[in-house]
Amino acid sequence: MKRYLTQIGRYFIMLKDVFSKPTKWQVLKDLIFKEIDDLIIGSLGIVAFISFFVGGVVAIQTALNLTNPLIPKNLIGFATRQSVILEFAPTFISIIMAGKVGSYITSSIGTMRVTEQIDALDVMGVNALNYLIFPKIIALLLYPFLIAIAMFLGILGGWMAGVYGGFVSADEFIQGVQNDFIPFHIIYAFIKTLLFSFILATIPSFHGYYMKGGALEVGKASTTSFVWTSVVIILVNYVLTQLLLSS
């Protein structure tokens, strides 16, 4: 218990140091564009692929469970929309990103620690925490853009699976997508996404920055970072859902 509290304390001290003594903007600008390319643009393919097919699976599973002929077919579109917008796109994709982006962040910073590049930054008087982590936080502010694409492709995948699988007509699916639409659900999804983006940037960075040892420990730190990032995302998801939707 004491070890966990110590780690939590170090994490918040790290956050304070990330925003102090900023690096020059000319240097940060290039770092931010590089992180956007690595973390956001580099994830577009996997996010699009998973979203499209999981949306299709949701539609097919819903259709196969509609055994009562009195239940309207447009429920397939409704269930697909609700599943994709409320949980799949913001939460499920974020846990996948904890594996992809989180592991990349931990291993890249951890490798810099092993090869003493972080020590070199400290010797030169550079705030290594700001130099390494701040650009990742800024780059991941574009993370909601990825989630918006995931929402669109998830529903599109559901539409194609439902219509071309012969489970529902195109008009019925679209009618279901439009039924009882609550705009706040979109806001709720993006509030979650913004918090998840901060978690995705900072927890893997923490595990990479404070790791000790050699190449083997970099791999262990990446695994630990994935586990804790996923755990925190699930806990934050539960708290936010309780706060924003249960009232």
Side-chain angles (χ1 to χ4, degrees):
M1 187 65 184
K2 182 182 175 185
R3 186 166 68 91
Y4 290 130
L5 290 175
T6 303
Q7 291 291 83
I8 292 170
R10 289 180 80 186
Y11 171 75
F12 282 105
I13 291 171
M14 181 198 79
L15 292 183
K16 178 181 75 67
D17 292 340
V18 165
F19 294 98
S20 63
K21 198 182 172 187
T23 308
K24 289 181 180 176
W25 170 246
Q26 286 299 323
V27 178
L28 274 182
K29 184 179 66 175
D30 293 337
L31 292 172
I32 289 170
F33 282 124
K34 180 181 179 304
E35 298 295 353
I36 289 173
D37 189 43
D38 289 340
L39 304 179
I40 301 296
I41 307 296
S43 302
L44 270 172
I46 187 70
V47 168
F49 178 81
I50 294 173
S51 303
F52 183 83
F53 285 100
V54 170
V57 169
V58 170
I60 292 171
Q61 288 184 348
T62 306
L64 294 177
N65 282 285
L66 289 182
T67 54
N68 190 332
L70 296 177
I71 299 177
K73 293 283 186 183
N74 62 31
L75 185 63
I76 298 171
F78 176 81
T80 303
R81 183 200 73 201
Q82 291 296 88
S83 302
V84 167
I85 290 178
L86 291 178
E87 274 311 309
F88 166 72
T91 308
F92 188 60
I93 290 290
S94 295
I95 291 174
I96 291 170
M97 292 289 279
K100 184 187 181 299
V101 169
S103 296
Y104 168 75
I105 291 173
T106 303
S107 59
S108 60
I109 296 179
T111 302
M112 291 183 72
R113 170 64 75 191
V114 171
T115 54
E116 300 182 349
Q117 293 179 60
I118 293 177
D119 297 330
L121 288 172
D122 291 334
V123 169
M124 289 189 292
V126 175
N127 179 356
L129 284 168
N130 178 268
Y131 181 86
L132 294 172
I133 302 174
F134 185 74
K136 293 177 174 53
I137 295 174
I138 299 299
L140 280 168
L141 287 178
L142 294 177
Y143 183 56
F145 168 69
L146 271 185
I147 298 304
I149 291 175
M151 289 177 183
F152 172 76
L153 289 177
I155 294 174
L156 178 65
W159 180 83
M160 293 193 75
V163 173
Y164 290 103
F167 299 106
V168 61
S169 70
D171 289 340
E172 284 176 322
F173 188 91
I174 292 170
Q175 184 189 3
V177 169
Q178 294 172 338
N179 274 354
D180 297 325
F181 176 67
I182 301 174
F184 181 72
H185 285 174
I186 299 282
I187 297 171
Y188 156 77
F190 283 118
I191 289 173
K192 288 203 301 187
T193 302
L194 277 173
L195 279 173
F196 293 164
S197 69
F198 188 78
I199 292 166
L200 283 169
T202 54
I203 292 182
S205 299
F206 173 79
H207 285 282
Y209 191 86
Y210 291 108
M211 64 144 294
K212 294 177 181 175
L216 182 62
E217 281 70 23
V218 173
K220 290 180 179 175
S222 295
T223 306
T224 307
S225 127
F226 168 66
V227 171
W228 280 109
T229 306
S230 303
V231 167
V232 173
I233 285 174
I234 290 167
L235 287 175
V236 170
N237 182 44
Y238 174 80
V239 173
L240 283 178
T241 303
Q242 187 74 18
L243 288 175
L244 299 177
L245 290 188
S246 65
S247 57

